[in-house]
Structures are given as C-alpha cells and as structure tokens.
C-alpha cells in the first residue's frame, strides 16, 4: 500500500492508495443523487459546465473540485443518499454483473443492468434475453444466500464465521449506490464457504 501510494504521489502529487476514489464518488455517488433530484436537461447542462471547468484544471484542482461537488450534493440530500447507498449495498449481493454471456451469445442486451440501476426504474423493461439472464443469476444468488444464512446459523459458535460475516458486510457497505457485483468479488469465497456449511449441515441431518 505504501509503495503504490508513493508511486501515485509522484504522478499526481497526492499520497493515497486509490487514484480513482474521487472520480468514482463523483461519477457514481454524486450522479446517483443527481438522477433523482434533477431533470435530464439539468444534468446535461451541469455536466457540460463541469467538464468545461475540469478541462482547464490540473489533477489536484480537479480532485478538489469533484470532492467539493460530491460533498455538497450528498449533504444537501442526506436521507436520499442514505437510501440509495443502502439499496446499492443490498443490490450488490444479487447483481448478475456484466453481460459477458449475453455478449458472447450475441443476444440482445439493451442498455445493461448497471446503466439503469442508478435511475431507479426500468429494471424489468428489458429484452427477453436480459430478463432470462437476470432471473437465472438472481435466483442462483438467492440460493447461495439462503444456504449461507443456514450455514451462518448452524456455525454461529465458531469465531471464523463472524469474521467472514463481518468482511462480507463491510464490502457490501462500501459498494455504495452502484451495487455492482464486482465489489463483492473479494469476499465471494467467504460467502461460498458459508453456503457450503449450510449445504453440509442439511446433508448431515438424519433421514
């Protein structure tokens, strides 16, 4: 972490680990609130104005500007953002991820799941291949979650169970309003371990 942070400092002037943290907050968290409180025309005009200003700034000035805009928008609508953040933290566990399979099969894929989540509408207004894709993977995720819950209940006396649960909840919480499956990837093995415990306890019951 220190080496990467020092490398980023040499190129940006900032000693930090992620050079995308500010941009992601601006593009996703800030944009999620904008989509709920502003019209499409207002958002387009604001984006043009911001992009014009950002082009004339260096890295540190751009980062400071984006942080300021994000902070002001989120603090102006704290309850709305809290709801969007909580919804994304739940969506991350059922999100089917990217549309790699649909692209491979050259099936009609619409705008993609990630492109409609932050707008709060249009989940089911998708082509049939997308609906089938969503239905299959969401059902699979729910099955894994049900088994993981069973495993959690049956192994709740083990300390490692609570460590795994804490890590899973932490990564769900930091996903924010995006709610994309990639944020759960680092702790997916823990989820599968709990699910395996749930499956094992079910099979070990006397018949």
């Amino acid at each position: 972490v220190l080496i990467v942070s020092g490398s980023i400092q040499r190129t940006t002037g900032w000693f930090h680990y992620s050079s995308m943290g500010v941009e992601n907050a601006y593009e996703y968290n800030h944009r999620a609130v904008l989509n709920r409180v502003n019209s499409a025309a207002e958002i387009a005009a604001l984006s043009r104005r911001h992009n014009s200003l950002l082009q004339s700034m260096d890295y540190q000035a751009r980062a400071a500007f984006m942080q300021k805009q994000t902070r002001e928008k989120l603090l102006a609508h704290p309850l709305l953002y809290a709801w969007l953040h909580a919804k994304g933290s739940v969506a991350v566990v059922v999100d089917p991820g990217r549309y790699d399979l649909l692209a491979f099969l050259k099936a009609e894929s619409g705008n993609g799941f990630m492109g409609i989540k932050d707008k709060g509408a249009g989940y089911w207004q998708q082509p049939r291949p997308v609906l089938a894709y969503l239905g299959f993977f969401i059902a699979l995720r729910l099955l894994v979650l049900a088994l993981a819950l069973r495993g959690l209940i049956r192994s709740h006396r083990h300390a490692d169970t609570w460590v795994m649960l804490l890590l899973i909840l932490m990564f769900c919480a930091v996903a924010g309003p995006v709610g994309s499956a990639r944020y759960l990837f680092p702790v997916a093995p823990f989820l599968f371990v709990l699910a395996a415990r749930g499956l094992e306890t079910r099979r070990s019951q006397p018949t």
Side-chain angles (χ1 to χ4, degrees):
V1 171
L2 293 176
I3 293 173
V4 172
S5 299
S7 175
I8 293 174
Q9 185 182 31
R10 286 197 297 271
T11 57
T12 67
W14 282 28
F15 185 81
H16 61 156
Y17 182 67
S18 173
S19 61
M20 294 298 294
V22 174
E23 290 86 345
N24 283 344
Y26 177 78
E27 292 292 340
Y28 295 118
N29 304 53
H30 173 255
R31 185 59 180 259
V33 177
L34 281 179
N35 286 334
R36 290 302 187 94
V37 300
N38 295 91
S39 66
E42 291 172 336
I43 294 173
L46 184 65
S47 296
R48 287 193 297 268
R49 186 163 64 251
H50 283 189
N51 289 337
S52 177
L53 292 171
L54 289 169
Q55 288 176 359
S56 62
M57 300 177 182
D58 60 18
Y59 179 85
Q60 293 192 30
R62 287 198 305 270
F65 177 82
M66 287 187 286
Q67 282 182 324
K68 181 175 182 293
Q69 295 298 322
T70 302
R71 186 183 303 110
E72 288 180 351
K73 198 67 178 180
L74 269 55
L75 291 178
H77 306 277
L79 295 180
L80 172 61
Y81 178 72
W83 163 246
L84 294 174
H85 194 108
K87 188 171 69 169
S89 297
V90 173
V92 69
V93 298
V94 294
D95 179 40
R98 303 285 185 173
Y99 281 65
D100 297 336
L101 181 59
L102 290 176
F104 179 77
L105 298 175
K106 297 183 178 180
E108 185 181 2
S109 60
N111 295 326
F113 193 54
M114 193 171 173
I116 60 175
K117 282 189 297 184
D118 60 347
K119 297 179 182 177
Y123 284 93
W124 311 115
Q125 299 172 3
Q126 299 291 311
R128 288 185 179 179
V130 176
L131 292 178
Y133 187 88
L134 289 175
F136 173 76
F137 279 97
I138 289 176
L140 188 62
R141 288 293 187 91
L142 290 176
L143 174 61
V144 172
L145 287 175
L147 289 172
L149 179 60
R150 183 181 179 88
L152 174 65
I153 293 173
R154 292 302 178 92
S155 62
H156 69 278
R157 295 182 184 278
H158 300 282
D160 63 338
T161 297
W162 295 104
V163 172
M164 289 189 288
L165 178 63
L166 179 62
L167 289 170
I168 292 170
L169 292 177
M170 182 182 71
F171 274 84
C172 288
V174 301
V178 179
S180 180
R182 67 175 181 265
Y183 291 104
L184 198 62
F185 183 77
V187 291
F190 301 142
L191 189 61
F192 293 142
V193 167
L194 291 176
R197 288 181 178 179
L199 191 61
E200 181 182 12
T201 53
R202 185 183 66 180
R203 287 181 175 176
S204 63
Q205 296 300 312
T207 58

